[in-house]
Amino acid sequence: MDKTMAIEQALAAVQDGHTVMVGGFGVPGTPFMLIDQLLAQGTRNLTLIKNEANEAGMGVSKLLEAGRVRTLVASHLGLNPTAVAMMNRGEIEVELYPQGILAEKIRAGGAGLLGVVTDIGIDTILRESRQLVPIDGREAILEPALRADIALIHAATADRAGNLQFAKSARNFCPLMAMAAERVIVETETVVPTGSLDPDAVHLPGAFVDHIVVLDELTEEYGVLTHHVL
């Protein structure tokens, strides 16, 4: 089994109107080359689910600035004033969730749950836009699970069957998103023969991975991603 392929072939699966989860917490784990190819192929009207909007001029902000995104689901936009301005002008729809709630909504989607119940935000204006449910005599918020058509993630190492290792904090949202998407496209710094990874050191099993794109090099955008996990 060999899931490696050219980046153009892998990204052809992303269609107009798709919901796309994008791994990363700032730079670590963000698949910059996959994002650039998505931009180049002209896919539009996307719903993006990512922890944040990267910084202006890089990562998913390129898609926002090019007008390719209809809705952004995130936990914050504070590092990207361009995205904040677009939201304020009504050029994109933005759904913001506390970071832990966003992660739990994605985890629930991957686990096949309909949603999660929480008291986070119950005493704030968030309750006005959420479905409330009674739990043991208390009110709680029902947060629907999140799933996506596509997940784009970055891994330090992959074998050809799709078993992945992530470098330190670059793991972040990536495994959760891979479990919550119909199709998972991975860019990797290093590809090794199937069976060469220690099974106890695999962070995401290949069963969750559909396509692998091998990076020729890491561009300046990748910044801190200089250490491989082997």
Side-chain angles (χ1 to χ4, degrees):
M1 183 184 298
D2 189 345
K3 298 180 180 179
T4 60
M5 62 177 58
I7 190 169
E8 296 85 0
Q9 183 182 3
L11 268 294
V14 188
Q15 302 296 313
D16 291 352
H18 268 175
T19 295
V20 181
M21 290 182 176
V22 183
F25 190 121
V27 169
T30 296
F32 291 105
M33 293 300 292
L34 293 181
I35 293 168
D36 285 349
Q37 175 59 32
L38 190 58
L39 179 67
Q41 74 182 30
T43 314
R44 59 185 62 251
N45 200 31
L46 297 171
T47 294
L48 290 186
I49 301 173
K50 192 181 190 299
N51 180 55
E52 26 52 56
N54 291 122
E55 297 179 40
M58 67 183 295
V60 297
S61 189
K62 292 181 180 179
L63 295 170
L64 297 173
E65 294 164 32
R68 306 294 177 77
V69 178
R70 180 183 70 249
T71 302
L72 174 66
V73 181
S75 71
H76 69 93
L77 302 179
L79 296 177
N80 192 332
T82 299
V84 173
M86 293 181 69
M87 176 184 67
N88 290 338
R89 292 193 299 266
E91 296 172 2
I92 55 172
E93 299 175 4
V94 176
E95 297 179 16
L96 293 175
Y97 297 95
Q99 192 170 81
I101 295 299
L102 179 63
E104 278 297 287
K105 286 164 70 73
I106 296 169
R107 183 197 61 79
L113 304 178
L114 296 179
V116 295
V117 177
T118 177
D119 64 352
I120 301 298
I122 193 66
D123 295 324
T124 73
I125 60 173
L126 288 178
R127 65 179 290 126
E128 299 173 7
S129 60
R130 301 291 197 270
Q131 181 178 348
L132 304 181
V133 295
I135 300 289
D136 293 333
R138 301 168 55 192
E139 281 189 322
I141 294 174
L142 175 62
E143 289 285 1
L146 284 174
R147 288 194 58 83
D149 301 294
I150 304 287
L152 306 179
I153 62 178
H154 176 98
T157 305
D159 69 15
R160 295 187 177 276
N163 298 298
L164 305 182
Q165 292 179 326
F166 301 95
K168 304 184 187 313
S169 64
R171 189 184 314 190
N172 53 70
F173 282 79
C174 293
L176 294 179
M177 289 181 169
M179 296 176 189
E182 298 300 320
R183 184 172 303 205
V184 178
I185 304 170
V186 177
E187 62 169 43
T188 185
E189 303 167 44
T190 305
V191 66
V192 297
T194 300
S196 62
L197 295 178
D198 180 351
D200 287 334
V202 170
H203 301 146
L204 181 72
F208 295 106
V209 173
D210 296 288
H211 308 307
I212 301 168
V213 175
V214 184
L215 300 175
D216 294 328
E217 61 178 347
L218 293 182
T219 61
E220 291 183 358
E221 287 179 306
Y222 289 90
V224 300
L225 298 181
T226 58
H227 301 287
H228 296 190
V229 178
L230 294 176

